[in-house]
Amino acid sequence: MVLSTSAAVTSLVLISLLAACASHSGGTQSGTRLSQTSVAAVSRTTNESAAPRLIEELKMGADCGSGATTDAPLEDVACSGHLPENFASFLRRIPHQHPFLSGYEREQLSRSKHSFKAVVGLGERHDILAVIHHYSPFWIRSFEGPDPDVTLYMVYGPECGSPRSGDSGSSEHRCRPDSAYLRDYTLYRVQKDGIPRDVTSEMAPPAPHLDKEERRRYGPYLRGAGGAVDGDIQMDVSRLAYVPVLRWVLRPAQEGEYMPPSMPSSDPRAFKDYYRGTGSVAHFGFLIWNGRRMELRETVPSTLWPCRSSNPPVCDQGYDSSADRYLD
């Protein structure tokens, strides 16, 4: 089988994750030998000719011809089409307490076409990353694991918006607080019975919090007066279309006319973020799907945080993973 460069990177990512899971569960020596053999086999594919991309999406009947760039976290080429039945079923059956979605709206969305990508995952089926357009765009990322009857779904949003004309008013249009922006997500586990259950507190560590000294230290990089708050630590979702990994970061931001100073590279948490300028941002850990739950790690192999690719897959000019001290 011939793999593209991006597929090879993805395979290395999955091997890294599976190897990590094995080390946590007391993996055998034979398992270690198998991983090393797989790494060698995948490495040989990186210089071979590239295979067409988006094959799985085309098999699903999606339209992949436009090559449109879409909303985050789908920041590259995506397809448009009906979602796989297991994914559509989840969307249809999201519990009533999920903000801003009535039963009628969930049913309509489950039958509509959406922008999505199929991502090689840790299970028998591909993971799916989809952007759903409702009052405002929101996204859902599925995570498969070793048990084919269990899938985890991460849902971010929808955010607040004004009800559309003609709405029945039966939907409770509740909003997440402003502090939830790129921070507050919900995890649903779907088992063989097909019923989504909220397992956020069970399946993921709590979002990072700032201590007193960090509130003082990071305040000047965000606003003219006052300290930083927990909500300033947000999820970087820019790699979700490639790997089952997110990252908690705090970035300097302009508030009104206030122009914040640059964060020095000497900051205890600083690293270079080439995709948002050449300045430093603060790192608060990687959130990784390990096949059974979301896990927080301080560092990861560079294969678990690849450069964002385009078509053909290339890194942005000037990208240097070695400048990110949290990549092994």
Side-chain angles (χ1 to χ4, degrees):
M1 177 178 65
V2 179
L3 298 177
S4 66
T5 304
S6 57
V9 170
T10 300
S11 298
L12 285 170
V13 167
L14 300 180
I15 290 167
S16 300
L17 281 171
L18 291 171
C21 290
S23 65
H24 281 265
S25 58
T28 64
Q29 187 175 3
S30 62
T32 301
R33 286 197 299 269
L34 177 61
S35 293
Q36 291 172 343
T37 302
S38 300
V39 168
V42 172
S43 297
R44 286 195 298 270
T45 69
T46 58
N47 293 323
E48 297 177 359
S49 59
R53 305 177 71 199
L54 306 174
I55 293 177
E56 289 301 317
E57 294 86 344
L58 290 170
K59 288 180 181 177
M60 299 175 193
D63 177 7
C64 303
S66 61
T69 300
T70 185
D71 305 275
L74 286 175
E75 298 179 345
D76 200 350
V77 177
C79 297
S80 176
H82 293 289
L83 299 170
E85 178 51 35
N86 67 296
F87 203 98
S89 175
F90 165 74
L91 184 56
R92 189 181 305 120
R93 303 177 76 172
I94 290 179
H96 290 289
Q97 64 266 29
H98 192 91
F100 225 7
L101 289 172
S102 69
Y104 172 78
E105 291 164 337
R106 292 195 303 272
E107 180 65 32
Q108 290 297 106
L109 290 172
S110 71
R111 298 180 180 181
S112 302
K113 293 182 178 181
H114 305 282
S115 297
F116 75 95
K117 265 188 175 181
V119 187
V120 177
L122 298 176
E124 295 179 3
R125 292 185 301 209
H126 280 68
D127 295 347
I128 298 293
L129 173 61
V131 172
I132 313 296
H133 284 269
H134 189 45
Y135 292 98
S136 63
F138 69 103
W139 54 261
I140 303 173
R141 172 61 149 87
S142 67
F143 298 93
E144 301 288 346
D147 188 341
D149 293 328
V150 179
T151 302
L152 190 75
Y153 293 87
M154 174 179 280
V155 184
Y156 175 76
E159 297 171 6
C160 298
S162 301
R164 295 168 294 187
S165 60
D167 280 344
S168 63
S170 60
S171 174
E172 295 183 25
H173 297 297
R174 292 168 291 173
C175 296
R176 296 181 186 269
D178 291 340
S179 60
Y181 177 69
L182 279 179
R183 182 176 174 90
D184 190 3
Y185 59 85
T186 305
L187 294 177
Y188 293 101
R189 179 170 54 205
V190 176
Q191 296 175 286
K192 201 169 186 178
D193 60 9
I195 300 174
R197 294 175 174 86
D198 186 341
V199 293
T200 309
S201 59
E202 173 188 344
M203 300 288 286
H209 294 280
L210 295 165
D211 60 31
K212 184 177 181 181
E213 195 280 328
E214 288 172 330
R215 293 177 188 275
R216 178 200 60 77
R217 186 168 84 234
Y218 292 118
Y221 306 125
L222 299 164
R223 50 192 62 94
V229 297
D230 290 341
D232 293 320
I233 306 173
Q234 298 176 347
M235 293 186 297
D236 183 340
V237 301
S238 61
R239 307 315 200 270
L240 272 183
Y242 311 103
V243 292
V245 184
L246 307 93
R247 190 175 193 171
W248 290 110
V249 296
L250 182 149
R251 292 187 172 95
Q254 181 177 349
E255 186 173 280
E257 297 181 357
Y258 177 69
M259 297 294 293
S262 298
M263 184 182 299
S265 59
S266 59
D267 184 272
R269 292 184 176 274
F271 73 97
K272 295 290 185 182
D273 185 358
Y274 283 92
Y275 293 108
R276 300 194 181 254
T278 57
S280 295
V281 302
H283 167 86
F284 283 83
F286 294 96
L287 191 63
I288 299 175
W289 169 243
N290 65 17
R292 290 177 171 82
R293 72 186 310 274
M294 304 302 294
E295 174 188 346
L296 187 66
R297 297 186 196 172
E298 183 71 2
T299 63
V300 298
S302 58
T303 50
L304 290 180
W305 196 250
C307 65
R308 294 185 305 189
S309 63
S310 57
N311 195 5
V314 294
C315 293
D316 288 4
Q317 185 176 4
Y319 178 81
D320 180 10
S321 64
S322 65
D324 189 338
R325 59 196 179 98
Y326 295 97
L327 301 182
D328 297 333

